[in-house]
Amino acid sequence: MTAATARAHPNIALVKYWGKRDEQLMLPAAGSLSLTLDAFATTTTVELSGEERDAFTLNGAAATEGQTERVTAFLELVRQWAGASEHAAVRSTNLAPTGAGLASSASGFAALALAASAAYGLELEPRDLSRLARRGSGSACRSIVPELAIWHAGIDDASSFAEPIAGPAMAMVIVTIDGSTKAVSSREAMRRTIATSPYYPGWVSSTERTLAEMAAACGAGDFTRIGELTEVSALRMHASIQAAEPPLRYLRAASVAVFDAAEQMRTEGLEAYATADAGPNVVLVCRPEDAAAVAARVEGLGQVRVVGAGPGAALVEEPVEPVEPAPDAGVPA
Ligand code: PMV
């Protein structure tokens, strides 16, 4: 095969990943657990090109230099695995509306890992595909997996991958407060937290315990415990980030208002639990049958969207077509 197309979706962590113990291999300091979503898909076509260099277009336009470098570095790794040297054209479309505040690196590198490995003729087991995606962006290893995914921290490259874990049905209510790109990338912010936050060691050791408890709660189908642990993990991650120097603070007043709303809902018997990644937007975890009621309660606190559990990365038959250059009106036919 010389061309392949794959689709993947973002995931939201219930037990967060924050900090690497090996930046080169992208090995996390602790394990994590997430839900792959059924919305905001990334579709990516990788076509071997025989050109001098790799090319990358995103939503029909040439990607930035930084984005292209990251994709090229990832393709280098795939070529190493495949024993190949040919360059490729990569074309991606991303359905996360600009301003949704959903990081696209997880769906992006999950789709790229699958499309590129297929285009270069690698037939990878799900576990190895997850390991490959991890090298693009840590959280991408979880987007290979459908629905609930547990990412084992592992002890080396071979043992750090995500796999499915059974649990109860859940929905998420995404409250977008601000969709602008974050000022400090998660990679940089992780480095700063590791280097300067006195709470970082506590974050790592407590996360191993949280993850074990979360896995047990998933196995028992205990939604309430899953929700409680979700908030604990998010707030501990933000506490360790906020204790960095200079401090990093992603949560805004409007974000805290959504955490308050979740607390209020619970006092009234409506179970919703809040989490937030490296940005101001908040995601509420709830039972699918409560999603509409939860969404109604946060209407007005941000842009609200209900999502469910979604599929893992998959090959698809609809390639992302190259965009024809616009006809130059100045040149006669
Ligand atoms: O894999 P990255 O660099 O996108 O880091 C993801 C970090 C968080 O989204 C904040 C937490 C997580 O586990 O997804």
Side-chain angles (χ1 to χ4, degrees), residues 192-238:
R192 194 189 299 178
T193 309
I194 293 170
T196 64
S197 173
Y199 303 156
Y200 184 71
W203 157 252
V204 173
S205 57
S206 68
T207 295
E208 285 303 345
R209 287 195 303 277
T210 311
L211 183 62
E213 276 192 70
M214 181 65 92
C218 285
D222 185 347
F223 173 76
T224 299
R225 191 63 191 140
I226 291 171
E228 289 169 354
L229 291 165
T230 297
E231 262 197 33
V232 163
S233 177
L235 290 173
R236 282 188 183 156
M237 179 186 80
H238 284 278

Side-chain angles (χ1 to χ4, degrees), residues 5-6 43 56 59 63 81 83 86 93 95 192 218 257 266:
T5 301
T43 306
F56 178 34
N59 292 332
W81 281 29
E86 216 176 331
T93 55
L95 289 183
R192 194 189 299 178
C218 285
R266 296 198 296 269

Side-chain angles (χ1 to χ4, degrees), residues 4 51 102 106 112 114 144 164 170 172 183 191 213 250-251 258 267 296 301 305 307 325 328:
E51 299 287 334
L102 274 173
L112 181 61
L114 181 52
I144 297 297
M170 281 181 268
M172 289 185 159
R191 283 188 193 135
E213 276 192 70
Y250 290 112
L251 301 178
V258 182
T267 66
L301 295 182
R305 163 118 189 217
V307 297
D328 189 335

Side-chain angles (χ1 to χ4, degrees), residues 103-194:
S104 53
S105 66
S107 57
F109 279 102
L112 181 61
L114 181 52
S117 59
Y120 282 98
L122 287 168
E123 280 175 33
L124 300 178
E125 297 293 326
R127 174 177 297 209
D128 293 327
L129 188 58
S130 176
R131 286 175 49 231
L132 177 62
R134 189 195 79 224
R135 302 287 293 275
S137 174
S139 57
C141 76
R142 299 185 311 232
S143 276
I144 297 297
V145 176
E147 307 197 353
L148 284 173
I150 183 165
W151 174 11
H152 306 287
I155 51 162
D156 56 11
D157 173 40
S159 53
S160 187
F161 58 88
E163 64 181 349
I165 177 168
M170 281 181 268
M172 289 185 159
V173 177
I174 299 173
V175 187
T176 304
I177 281 145
D178 176 1
S180 52
T181 350
K182 45 196 170 204
V184 181
S185 72
S186 56
R187 190 169 292 200
E188 196 46 49
M190 284 179 191
R191 283 188 193 135
R192 194 189 299 178
T193 309
I194 293 170

